[in-house]
Amino acid sequence: MAAVRVLGKMDKIAREVLFQALSDEHWRVRAGAAVALGSHASDVVVNQLILATKDKHQAVRSAAVRSLGRIGNTKATESIVRALQDSNQLVRKNAAKALGIMKDAQAALPLISVLQDEDAVQREVIAALGQIGQPALSPLAVIVADDGVDSGLRRFAAEALVKVAYKMGERGQSALLEKSAPSLMVGLRAENGALRKASADALVMIGQPAFGVVGEALFTDKNSAVRAEAASILGRSGAAKSWYAEAGDLLIVSLDDQVESGRLMGQESLVRI
């Protein structure tokens, strides 16, 4: 017990030294202190790091949001969300990464609002939304289905849905993905090629819960390109799943498509599964 008390006292002393270092005139010292405090999870530390997210130097702000992400206290969510609007790209990138680590549902909408940030930030935003999972599902699906929204944003929302679907599948939540499938079918019918591809990838990741809407498109859609893409989706998702027989039955019917591209895609998908 004596050893534990000594270690506890040393830990407290170390924190106090680091707190003082957060006010040092040199930014490197302040940044180093912010990094080191990431190993000290307590409300007092979180409060100090929250203050550091407003430091005048970007390296200190970046280190502070990284450490808050490591600690994972949702008390810091609001401050990290605010850092998504920082003028420095690295701070925004680390803020997105921290929110993904924390998996706080409150961060879903703020992350979606910055989906069109620079590439490096955007990748972390999409990854973070994947980590958050289900709370991000409906807002992303709404964006994909909205023809009035910029096609680039719709594409990034579909790409985020790929990550969300993957994580939800890992967590045994695949059945909940069915509600997003109709929205992705809207994306599949868009003029923007990148949006169509991202929507198709998300439908493949969803797999069997999307079977109904994809199968319907295979038979009833007036656009031959959509019918061909539906056949491709069934082939890609059915190939590695236990429901490949269901996909196969539909694809056999697609061999009678009026358009050659639909028939060819049906053949390729049957070969795949």
Side-chain angles (χ1 to χ4, degrees):
M1 287 298 295
V4 172
R5 285 195 295 271
V6 170
L7 288 172
K9 186 175 181 180
M10 288 175 63
D11 189 58
K12 183 177 180 181
I13 293 171
R15 287 201 306 269
E16 291 301 324
V17 170
L18 291 171
F19 290 162
Q20 291 177 20
L22 283 177
S23 300
D24 195 274
E25 62 179 312
H26 300 291
W27 67 263
R28 286 187 176 85
V29 175
R30 301 198 303 277
V35 171
L37 284 169
S39 300
H40 298 259
S42 72
D43 285 345
V44 179
V45 169
V46 169
N47 290 337
Q48 290 293 320
L49 287 170
I50 286 174
L51 291 174
T53 63
K54 301 177 182 178
D55 193 276
K56 61 185 179 181
H57 199 283
Q58 63 267 23
V60 182
R61 299 195 301 274
S62 182
V65 295
R66 283 205 315 273
S67 288
L68 287 169
R70 286 175 59 195
I71 292 170
N73 190 326
T74 55
K75 179 181 179 181
T77 298
E78 184 178 346
S79 296
I80 303 175
V81 163
R82 186 172 59 247
L84 289 172
Q85 305 294 335
D86 196 276
S87 59
N88 182 266
Q89 183 196 72
L90 184 60
V91 176
R92 300 196 303 276
K93 176 182 175 182
N94 283 326
K97 189 170 186 176
L99 291 170
I101 293 170
M102 292 170 69
K103 302 181 181 67
D104 189 347
Q106 298 178 71
L109 290 179
L111 283 164
I112 290 171
S113 73
V114 294
L115 262 175
Q116 286 184 294
D117 205 325
E118 299 172 66
D119 287 350
V121 181
Q122 185 188 92
R123 286 193 293 273
E124 290 296 346
V125 169
I126 289 174
L129 287 167
Q131 291 292 337
I132 290 172
Q134 187 183 350
L137 183 65
S138 292
L140 288 170
V142 168
I143 292 173
V144 173
D146 191 344
D147 289 330
V149 173
D150 175 74
S151 61
L153 177 57
R154 293 172 70 196
R155 166 200 167 186
F156 300 140
E159 290 179 356
L161 279 172
V162 175
K163 299 288 187 182
V164 170
Y166 177 76
K167 285 297 178 182
M168 288 181 66
E170 280 191 332
R171 296 166 185 167
Q173 300 173 320
S174 294
L176 299 174
L177 292 166
E178 184 176 357
K179 293 180 180 179
S180 66
S183 296
L184 289 163
M185 288 305 301
V186 175
L188 194 69
R189 296 182 177 99
E191 293 182 6
N192 183 283
L195 171 56
R196 291 198 304 272
K197 180 183 182 304
S199 298
D201 290 344
L203 286 163
V204 170
M205 188 60 68
I206 290 173
Q208 191 166 12
F211 183 79
V213 293
V214 176
E216 182 181 356
L218 182 66
F219 285 114
T220 65
D221 203 281
K222 296 179 180 179
N223 188 325
S224 61
V226 174
R227 296 198 303 274
E229 192 61 64
S232 174
I233 291 167
L234 288 172
R236 291 167 62 195
S237 55
K241 305 291 182 181
S242 60
W243 57 284
Y244 69 90
E246 300 173 62
D249 290 342
L250 282 181
L251 288 169
I252 288 172
V253 178
S254 75
L255 298 179
D256 291 327
D257 195 284
Q258 296 176 347
V259 180
E260 184 180 13
S261 61
R263 296 194 297 271
L264 289 174
M265 188 57 70
Q267 291 172 12
E268 290 181 16
S269 293
L270 280 168
V271 169
R272 187 175 292 152
I273 66 173

